């Protein structure tokens, strides 16, 4: 199937604008490649330190220069449901690798924090920065020069992008990411949303709200709504970093354990000591990142990836822009309806045909580069298959030719929408991102007086006091990466949703973040330049009429240009003394170094 001309042109421009940095990156990782295991060049004391704690057989193999040694880097902890299943993976992987003629060592752990736990709390201001901490921790784990490949265990939000960024610093090595899978479906998402709105409106108490939340988040595995965690898994598969069909197999099943073991066997085949050498830095090229953008758009995935994909790409010497997302969105059909864009969850998507059907439809529509390299085989075509157990080992069979549920997953010829789930808006308030897949068409254009807030708490207080019971554009500024780490403001969607349900024209404009579960209220987020950097949100005043038109790509305040330009910015950078406690003071250097949202809001330049 020929590649769609828009996909071909966007990919060409990505490669063209990235050429210099990409060439420099590839030169660096190719220079790091060695003949035989890199540990062969170590001093004897260095190598002895490296295998001192190993068993007898592993020591014998590690002394030689033909046995591949695989690093395991994990984000395991037993507080987070998505990462708790990772506890036993290292033992499964070591056994599979040893049986395949290799060795493996647990090279290091990386931190994993949960936005669901830190929502609305001080810890959320560390959330985005934790991605770059994970990247650095991954690099530390791999820095011992003992390894010929890596297996990266992680699932959620910033953790997977951080693992990828860290791995790309060692791009001469192959890498496979290994997920844990989603928890079983609990309280339906639509019911959970109703309970949250009733609580926000004061109709029920905390006990009823907590009972509903506990029925939603109830067991090991990833939260089942289509937020950043599950968007991560889908993108890693489309980028070829998972084994085919691995993303959404539930934890605690024989197939999940079989896929984990299969990843251990597979990584041995793609090291430089075998015959299918697939270095991650070469594999993740402009085709892989263009494919990821398309998959994000086709599924209405998390807005967080308008930050994470540019940051990951930059680590490979590739420059993505929001214009790339916007252009591809115009030709990418929306093929799923997953909460918050619908009522179904990720388990329903998996049962309806999942990644195999989705990838097949996008390839046939010319909207994926089928020839992109992967860890699963020669091309992305391998990812049209689904894993099955046969005699205790994983085999792959052809995926479904038709959807199992057209209310959840559709063919490209019969999409839910002809455009992708994300849009870029721009105007005299800068540039921002809007997730439209969850927003009904009649709500995508809002023109109303602004009410300006300096924090989400201020908005919640105003809502509780009945001050927002009208048409309103809530402008929540000083939430960008330089101001306070760019926390998610997901708690604001419930009160704004209540106002929208009352018939008011409502929108949110902010330089902060939302999540993949951003909901049905139109929200222009990641506004850049941010207010703390002198961006235009700092000059908006209460009562200014703001227009957000997601369909036409507009974000503007209806104030004469000269008057607006003459206004003094308000707010400035928050008081440093406020940004302390809960470890925030340790990240002051990150705030000083962080880049703009459009470039990934990273600290690595």
């Amino acid at each position: 199937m020929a590649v769609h001309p828009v996909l071909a042109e966007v990919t060409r421009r990505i490669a063209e604008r990235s050429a210099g940095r990409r060439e420099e990156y590839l030169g660096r990782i190719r220079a790091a490649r060695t003949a035989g295991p890199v540990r062969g060049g170590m001093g004897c004391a260095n190598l002895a330190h490296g295998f001192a704690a190993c068993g007898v057989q592993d020591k014998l193999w590690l002394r030689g220069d033909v046995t591949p040694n695989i690093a395991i880097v994990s984000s395991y902890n037993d507080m987070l449901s998505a990462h708790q299943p990772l506890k036993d993976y290292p033992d499964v992987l070591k056994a599979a690798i040893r049986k395949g003629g290799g060795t493996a060592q647990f090279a290091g752990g990386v931190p994993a924090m949960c936005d669901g736990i830190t929502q609305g709390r001080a810890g959320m201001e560390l959330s985005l920065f934790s991605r770059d901490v994970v990247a650095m921790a991954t690099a530390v784990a791999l820095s011992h020069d003992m390894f010929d490949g890596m297996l990266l265990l992680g699932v959620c939000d910033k953790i997977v992008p951080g693992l990828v960024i860290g791995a790309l610093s060692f791009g001469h090595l192959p890498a496979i990411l290994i997920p844990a899978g989603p928890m079983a479906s609990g309280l339906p998402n639509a019911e959970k949303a109703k309970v949250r709105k009733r609580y926000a409106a004061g109709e029920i108490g905390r006990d009823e709200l907590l009972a509903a939340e506990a029925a939603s988040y109830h067991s090991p595995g990833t939260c089942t709504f289509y937020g950043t965690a599950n968007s991560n898994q889908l993108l890693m598969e489309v980028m070829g970093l998972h084994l085919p069909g691995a993303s959404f197999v539930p934890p605690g099943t024989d197939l999940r354990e079989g896929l984990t073991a299969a990843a251990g066997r597979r990584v041995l085949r793609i090291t430089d000591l075998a015959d299918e050498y697939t270095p991650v830095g070469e594999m993740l090229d402009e085709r892989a990142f263009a494919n990821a953008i398309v998959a994000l758009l086709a599924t209405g995935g998390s807005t967080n990836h308008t930050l994470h994909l540019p940051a990951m790409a930059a680590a490979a010497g590739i420059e993505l822009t929001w214009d790339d997302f916007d252009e591809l969105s115009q030709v990418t059909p929306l093929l799923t309806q997953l909460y918050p864009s619908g009522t179904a969850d990720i388990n329903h998507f998996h049962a309806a045909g999942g990644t195999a059907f989705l990838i097949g439809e996008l390839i046939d529509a010319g909207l994926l580069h089928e020839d992109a390299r992967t860890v699963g085989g020669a091309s992305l075509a391998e990812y049209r298959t689904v894993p099955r157990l046969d005699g205790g080992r994983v085999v792959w069979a052809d995926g479904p030719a038709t959807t199992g549920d057209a209310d959840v997953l559709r063919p490209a010829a019969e999409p839910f929408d002809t455009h992708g789930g994300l849009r870029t808006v721009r105007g005299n308030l800068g540039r921002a991102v809007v997730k439209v897949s969850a927003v009904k068409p009649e709500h995508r254009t809002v023109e109303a007086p602004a009410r300006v807030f300096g924090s989400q708490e201020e908005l919640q207080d105003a809502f509780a006091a009945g001050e927002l019971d009208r048409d309103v554009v809530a402008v929540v500024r000083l939430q960008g990466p330089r101001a306070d780490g760019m926390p998610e403001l997901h708690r604001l969607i419930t009160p704004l949703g209540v106002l929208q349900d009352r018939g008011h024209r409502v929108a949110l404009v902010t330089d902060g973040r939302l999540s993949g579960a951003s909901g049905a209220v139109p929200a222009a987020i990641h506004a850049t330049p941010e207010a703390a950097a002198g961006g235009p949100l700092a000059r908006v005043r209460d009562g200014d009429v703001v227009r957000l038109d997601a369909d036409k790509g507009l974000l503007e305040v209806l104030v004469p240009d000269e008057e607006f330009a003459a206004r003094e910015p308000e707010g400035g950078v928050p008081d440093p003394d406020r940004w302390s406690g809960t470890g925030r003071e340790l990240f002051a250097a990150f705030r000083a170094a962080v880049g703009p949202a459009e470039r990934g809001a990273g600290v690595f330049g």
Side-chain angles (χ1 to χ4, degrees), residues 28-190:
R28 174 158 45 90
I29 66 170
R30 287 166 181 167
R33 184 180 181 184
T34 62
V38 68
R39 66 181 183 272
M42 283 184 168
C44 292
N46 305 67
L47 185 56
H49 276 292
F51 61 59
C54 294
V56 173
Q57 182 62 65
D58 285 357
K59 282 184 178 179
L60 288 173
W61 281 350
L62 288 170
R63 285 172 179 262
D65 59 1
V66 295
T67 303
N69 187 36
I70 307 301
I72 300 171
V73 180
S74 177
S75 58
Y76 162 75
N77 65 57
D78 65 7
M79 178 185 69
L80 305 187
S81 63
H83 294 82
Q84 188 264 4
L86 301 177
K87 177 184 178 182
D88 298 325
Y89 283 25
D91 288 341
V92 172
L93 291 166
K94 288 180 181 181
I97 289 167
R98 191 172 290 115
K99 191 173 181 179
T103 58
Q105 294 176 293
F106 190 93
V110 302
M113 66 179 295
C114 176
D115 290 357
I117 296 172
T118 58
Q119 284 288 342
R121 305 189 64 81
M124 172 56 75
E125 297 177 13
L126 304 183
S127 173
L128 183 58
F129 289 150
S130 76
R131 179 193 68 196
D132 296 356
V133 173
V134 170
M136 292 187 288
T138 301
V140 170
L142 298 171
S143 67
H144 298 94
D145 283 343
M146 287 286 294
F147 308 113
D148 305 293
M150 49 183 137
L151 296 169
L152 308 174
L153 317 184
V155 178
C156 290
D157 296 353
K158 277 67 54 190
I159 298 144
V160 165
L163 288 167
V164 172
I165 292 168
L168 284 166
S169 288
F170 294 79
H172 61 292
L173 301 178
I176 297 179
L177 274 88
I178 302 178
M183 67 176 68
S185 300
L187 182 72
N189 288 304

Side-chain angles (χ1 to χ4, degrees), residues 71-318:
I72 300 171
V73 180
S74 177
S75 58
Y76 162 75
N77 65 57
D78 65 7
M79 178 185 69
L80 305 187
S81 63
H83 294 82
Q84 188 264 4
L86 301 177
K87 177 184 178 182
D88 298 325
Y89 283 25
D91 288 341
V92 172
L93 291 166
K94 288 180 181 181
I97 289 167
R98 191 172 290 115
K99 191 173 181 179
T103 58
Q105 294 176 293
F106 190 93
V110 302
M113 66 179 295
C114 176
D115 290 357
I117 296 172
T118 58
Q119 284 288 342
R121 305 189 64 81
M124 172 56 75
E125 297 177 13
L126 304 183
S127 173
L128 183 58
F129 289 150
S130 76
R131 179 193 68 196
D132 296 356
V133 173
V134 170
M136 292 187 288
T138 301
V140 170
L142 298 171
S143 67
H144 298 94
D145 283 343
M146 287 286 294
F147 308 113
D148 305 293
M150 49 183 137
L151 296 169
L152 308 174
L153 317 184
V155 178
C156 290
D157 296 353
K158 277 67 54 190
I159 298 144
V160 165
L163 288 167
V164 172
I165 292 168
L168 284 166
S169 288
F170 294 79
H172 61 292
L173 301 178
I176 297 179
L177 274 88
I178 302 178
M183 67 176 68
S185 300
L187 182 72
N189 288 304
E191 294 301 314
K192 177 181 65 178
K194 288 179 183 177
V195 173
R196 287 178 173 177
K197 287 183 179 180
R198 291 186 64 200
Y199 178 77
E203 297 173 2
I204 60 172
R206 176 181 169 86
D207 288 348
E208 289 177 82
L209 176 63
L210 181 57
E213 299 289 359
S216 298
Y217 311 115
H218 57 86
S219 66
T222 313
C223 305
T224 58
F225 64 85
Y226 192 48
T228 312
N230 286 319
S231 297
N232 273 338
Q233 304 317 299
L234 181 83
L235 296 191
M236 292 304 103
E237 188 161 337
V238 172
M239 293 170 75
L241 283 164
H242 280 174
L243 292 185
S247 296
F248 303 119
V249 175
T253 61
D254 290 342
L255 181 56
R256 176 84 273 159
E257 184 168 332
L259 283 164
T260 301
R265 292 191 296 270
R266 180 61 187 165
V267 76
L268 296 176
R269 301 303 316 155
I270 60 175
T271 69
D272 204 5
L273 304 178
D275 54 5
E276 296 180 55
Y277 179 48
T278 310
V280 66
E282 297 196 18
M283 189 187 89
L284 292 184
D285 60 11
E286 60 274 3
R287 294 170 300 173
F289 284 103
N291 283 349
I293 294 173
V294 169
L296 182 74
L297 296 166
T299 56
S302 172
T303 53
N304 279 326
H305 283 293
T306 62
L307 304 172
H308 297 324
L309 282 171
M312 287 187 281
I318 295 170

